[in-house]
Amino acid sequence: MKPSPKNAPRRNNPFKFLLIIALIGASLALLFPKDMSTISTEKPEEISLTSFLEKYQQDELKTIEIKDSQIKAESFDGQVYQTFKEPSSNIKDLGLNDLTKKAAVKVVDTSGGKIWFNILIGVAPFLLLIFFLIFISRRASAMGGGEGGPFGFGKSRAKVYDKTKHRTKFTDVAGAQEAKDEVTEVVDFLKNPKKYHKMGAKIPKGILLVGAPGTGKTLLGRAIAGEAEVPFFSVSGSEFVEMFVGVGASRVRDLFKTAKRNAPAIIFIDEIDAIGKHRGQGSGGGHDEREQTLNQILTEMDGFEPDTSIIIIAATNRPDTLDKALLRPGRFDRRVHIDLPDMVARQQILALHANNKILASGTDLKKIASKTVGFSGADLENLLNEAAISATKKRQKDITQSDLDNAVEKVSMGPERRSRKISEDEKKIIAHHEVGHAIAGHFTKNCEPVHKISIISRGGALGVTWFLPEEDKYLVSEEKMKDEMISLHGGRMAERLIFGQTTTGASNDLERISKLARSMVMTYGMGDSKKVGPVVFAEKSKGWSGFDFHEKDFSEDTARAIDEEVHRLIIESEAACTKILKEHLPMLKKIAEDLLKKENLSREEFLAYFK
Ligand code: ADP
Ligand code: MG
Ligand code: ZN
């Protein structure tokens, strides 16, 4: 959420402190008077006090200036004299108060300046100390406290939503219909609590928005703020986690106090996983702090009067890490899932964000939506932005379909890196490797169709074979996982069949194969049930600050059986892959040759080889 203007600027900076010091210095300099003599200081002639008084009596002097024990005088003919008197003797003692004489007598009072100087010397250190303390405390509160001026550590940094500034509405959230319905109900509850109370319905206390990053949880929170006609307090979980223990808890207290004063109200805690992690894990200051903050939230949620109209909405993408106590009835007992958008939702999100962009006529967002399985709302927004940037760079008058297509690839695979110099020999290996993936995948039953093959480096990859699902899928079958392993073997096996050896380029493939096989055996019960059985085997790694140790919930014998099963699955899929590639070896060579020339092969170009 954007910070409200109240909180936005950091009011303090080190320069301000330096400025204060400079000001003190300057005023010191002013108060410490300089020699304000009106007599030119040009080499005065030193004379005795007697001869000076003589000259005075004879009216030779125009001006006389007395400063402490020093007397300076200027005669009418421009001569400057200097003499000294007893510090204790004054004008009267010396007889310089004769009004019949022409000389103008001036006494420069230095004692006043001295007093000020002395006071300053005494007080300045204290002043400096006070300034310094204020400076430190304001800095600290600027880092963590925000409101409240000096010593405002424990104040919550919640932002009250300013409706006149942002106006996010539910219509700004495309798709996510169930989530919207759910929160609409909540907003209605706060607008008309009587209606619900009469029926005996209780207001839910806490709602947890759960969804992958970029699915629009924060956006939905903002939309609730825009729609609800009640005060809306928004904080991010990470804002509670401070370097001072106890600050988080006191902020929670403050936040709830403010909300209660303004009830009915909504409190939105974004990214609650920052505080809501399982308690009692490990040690260290950070954990203690989190625990205290979490406990305070629980206490506050329990402490509501049943009819207090405060609803707490929290968002997280890691519900599994949340403390069970948070999810208990009476706390965040309602969960609203925001899924990755499906085909229709993707099209709606694209349309929404295309509103302020200039699309060429004939662009088809539906096609883009169908190509972007697995993209989040944020990815889609990013895609459109990338397309707009590239259209601008190319000085086009609008965004074309090919800009959009390129942006899909850029967002999902990283930007092309044409500057990377790759030797011809290496290019040849890369081409055969990628075509190996494509052919192995193409001849299995369950792999996604090949969408594109490319030997242009992108991000970290030297080449890519891009398989693209044609529709949203929610279940993955055992057969499909096996087929995926076959196509993953394709690159390495093609290198072996064509060049007689393999390269390091396959390491990522192998990693993914191993992961797939391991999860098949350990998580999905897809291994041979006589050997390992349809059991979920968990291997937790318990993180402790500094230490990491694995904890298995199965015996060494089982571990060996699992390893054997995983090995079997991998070997079998490798054999299947080799068989496919051997059958289509001439075609593999031919396509790789063409790919070397063209650098990219589209789905249509690839399919044409098999007609
Ligand atoms: P989250 O908080 O779930 O990680 P955000 O709410 O921050 O995700 O989403 C990031 C951006 O992605 C939003 O600002 C919005 O522009 C875009 N976005 C995400 N989901 C949607 C959606 N359903 N409709 C419209 N825009 C969306
Ligand atoms: Mg967010
Ligand atoms: Zn590969």
Side-chain angles (χ1 to χ4, degrees):
M1 197 149 292
K2 297 225 172 62
S4 78
K6 254 201 294 182
N7 285 278
R10 278 263 307 261
R11 289 159 305 170
N12 302 285
N13 56 35
F15 296 112
K16 206 161 180 185
F17 185 55
L18 290 180
L19 191 73
I20 289 171
I21 293 205
L23 276 177
I24 293 176
S27 44
L28 271 179
L30 277 180
L31 282 167
F32 190 37
K34 287 232 192 66
D35 192 353
M36 292 183 289
S37 175
T38 49
I39 299 175
S40 70
T41 45
E42 230 179 300
K43 43 177 166 22
E45 184 188 333
E46 198 135 325
I47 52 174
S48 70
L49 186 61
T50 333
S51 54
F52 160 75
L53 290 173
E54 224 160 78
K55 285 189 197 303
Y56 175 73
Q57 289 306 329
Q58 284 159 14
D59 234 352
E60 283 174 28
L61 302 175
K62 193 171 83 186
T63 46
I64 299 171
E65 204 175 277
I66 303 170
K67 191 170 145 194
D68 291 339
S69 56
Q70 185 196 49
I71 302 174
K72 270 187 188 171
E74 193 175 0
S75 67
F76 286 105
D77 45 12
Q79 181 64 44
V80 179
Y81 301 104
Q82 176 174 310
T83 186
F84 294 92
K85 68 175 178 61
E86 290 292 313
S88 57
S89 57
N90 57 24
I91 307 179
K92 221 162 140 195
D93 299 336
L94 295 170
L96 292 176
N97 55 350
D98 188 345
L99 290 176
T100 60
K101 298 286 180 280
K102 289 180 195 135
V105 181
K106 184 170 146 203
V107 179
V108 178
D109 185 8
T110 54
S111 62
K114 268 213 173 110
I115 286 170
W116 271 111
F117 185 67
N118 285 340
I119 291 177
L120 257 171
I121 288 289
V123 169
F126 293 100
L127 276 180
L128 275 177
L129 196 68
I130 289 169
F131 274 125
F132 187 66
L133 276 178
I134 291 178
F135 168 73
I136 290 270
S137 76
R138 297 190 90 190
R139 254 194 72 110
S141 63
M143 282 188 311
E147 296 304 299
F151 312 113
F153 286 92
K155 287 271 195 285
S156 102
R157 300 178 73 197
K159 292 141 200 160
V160 181
Y161 215 74
D162 184 354
K163 283 223 187 82
T164 56
K165 288 265 154 50
H166 326 252
R167 279 203 153 267
T168 309
K169 294 279 175 188
F170 283 147
T171 47
D172 294 320
V173 186
Q177 196 51 51
E178 293 84 0
K180 273 199 283 185
D181 289 347
E182 193 94 7
V183 294
T184 310
E185 189 185 311
V186 171
V187 170
D188 187 46
F189 217 128
L190 288 179
K191 280 186 192 164
N192 318 297
K194 283 211 188 86
K195 194 169 87 184
Y196 290 84
H197 281 310
K198 223 165 69 190
M199 201 63 82
K202 250 200 275 169
I203 301 186
K205 264 188 199 168
I207 295 172
L208 192 62
L209 297 177
V210 179
T215 43
K217 298 180 295 297
T218 307
L219 181 72
L220 191 60
R222 238 182 287 155
I224 299 171
E227 298 273 353
E229 263 128 50
V230 300
F232 183 90
F233 300 91
S234 140
V235 278
S236 176
S238 55
E239 283 166 24
F240 288 117
V241 185
E242 286 287 339
M243 53 180 175
F244 301 109
V245 174
V247 171
S250 80
R251 286 212 184 124
V252 171
R253 217 172 299 134
D254 187 67
L255 169 65
F256 278 80
K257 211 166 76 191
T258 320
K260 272 181 210 164
R261 226 184 294 131
N262 292 292
I266 296 176
I267 296 176
F268 180 65
I269 306 179
D270 206 357
E271 289 163 29
I272 195 172
D273 35 309
I275 25 170
K277 292 221 181 78
H278 301 295
R279 285 170 295 178
Q281 258 189 6
S283 54
H287 288 280
D288 285 347
E289 167 67 353
R290 207 177 278 137
E291 202 158 305
Q292 284 191 21
T293 310
L294 177 57
N295 284 339
Q296 192 61 42
I297 290 183
L298 298 179
T299 313
E300 294 289 348
M301 287 185 85
D302 288 344
F304 281 2
E305 300 298 322
D307 56 346
T308 315
S309 301
I310 293 179
I311 292 183
I312 305 154
I313 301 174
T316 180
N317 46 26
R318 306 283 318 274
D320 51 312
T321 64
L322 289 183
D323 197 285
K324 292 283 167 292
L326 267 179
L327 306 173
R328 232 193 46 190
R331 290 167 184 164
F332 290 103
D333 46 1
R334 271 212 199 183
R335 274 205 204 193
V336 178
H337 283 270
I338 307 187
D339 296 319
L340 284 173
D342 59 13
M343 167 81 188
V344 177
R346 283 197 299 275
Q347 201 182 334
Q348 287 169 348
I349 295 173
L350 283 169
L352 189 82
H353 287 285
N355 261 343
N356 61 353
K357 305 201 167 51
I358 307 169
L359 293 187
S361 63
T363 45
D364 189 353
L365 290 179
K366 195 170 174 191
K367 263 194 196 147
I368 301 297
S370 72
K371 280 213 256 185
T372 45
V373 175
F375 274 45
S376 70
D379 291 333
L380 293 170
E381 187 192 5
N382 187 17
L383 182 165
L384 280 173
N385 194 44
E386 289 291 348
I389 289 174
S390 101
T392 314
K393 268 192 195 159
K394 288 188 281 179
R395 293 167 192 276
Q396 291 165 199
K397 64 180 198 309
D398 44 26
I399 302 167
T400 63
Q401 189 76 21
S402 95
D403 292 323
L404 293 170
D405 287 336
N406 289 336
V408 173
E409 290 175 16
K410 192 169 176 188
V411 170
S412 53
M413 296 183 294
E416 289 185 353
R417 288 171 60 179
R418 285 180 183 274
S419 62
R420 194 185 251 176
K421 282 276 169 289
I422 295 171
S423 72
E424 286 307 310
D425 284 346
E426 278 184 341
K427 268 209 176 129
K428 230 167 135 177
I429 296 174
I430 296 167
H432 285 87
H433 178 111
E434 295 308 332
V435 176
H437 281 307
I439 289 186
H442 182 72
F443 285 99
T444 60
K445 229 169 81 196
N446 299 291
C447 264
E448 313 294 356
V450 173
H451 177 74
K452 181 172 180 167
I453 316 172
S454 165
I455 52 167
I456 298 168
S457 305
R458 276 175 184 278
L462 294 170
V464 275
T465 309
W466 197 14
F467 296 92
L468 199 67
E470 278 168 325
E471 55 199 6
D472 300 301
K473 281 187 187 139
Y474 301 98
L475 287 175
V476 183
S477 68
E478 182 175 351
E479 286 310 313
K480 172 148 197 272
M481 289 174 105
K482 282 184 176 167
D483 285 352
E484 226 153 73
M485 283 165 68
I486 292 175
S487 99
L488 280 168
H489 278 296
R492 210 173 102 267
M493 293 329 284
E495 287 180 35
R496 169 157 296 162
L497 288 175
I498 306 284
F499 303 102
Q501 59 180 2
T502 58
T503 63
T504 53
S507 69
N508 179 254
D509 297 336
L510 282 177
E511 213 177 294
R512 284 168 62 194
I513 292 169
S514 308
K515 239 193 204 148
L516 260 174
R518 211 152 255 284
S519 64
M520 281 174 76
V521 176
M522 293 177 69
T523 315
Y524 302 118
M526 290 171 180
D528 184 344
S529 59
K530 280 196 207 83
K531 287 182 194 143
V532 288
V535 177
V536 174
F537 301 103
E539 198 170 14
K540 285 178 256 174
S541 77
K542 282 205 166 176
W544 235 355
S545 37
F547 304 97
D548 246 2
F549 64 88
H550 282 280
E551 191 182 74
K552 290 186 186 134
D553 64 359
F554 44 86
S555 69
E556 286 305 315
D557 283 346
T558 312
R560 189 167 304 119
I562 290 173
D563 285 343
E564 277 165 13
E565 267 304 280
V566 169
H567 191 243
R568 181 182 65 83
L569 283 173
I570 294 178
I571 292 296
E572 277 179 14
S573 61
E574 193 190 55
C577 172
T578 313
K579 187 164 165 277
I580 294 173
L581 292 188
K582 272 187 177 155
E583 270 169 30
H584 301 277
L585 208 54
M587 193 57 101
L588 194 159
K589 284 180 182 162
K590 186 164 182 296
I591 301 176
E593 292 280 300
D594 291 352
L595 179 61
L596 266 174
K597 275 181 237 138
K598 289 189 182 168
E599 295 194 320
N600 289 314
L601 284 181
S602 70
R603 174 192 170 87
E604 290 74 27
E605 287 170 315
F606 178 73
L607 288 179
Y609 289 101
F610 302 99
K611 284 230 168 93

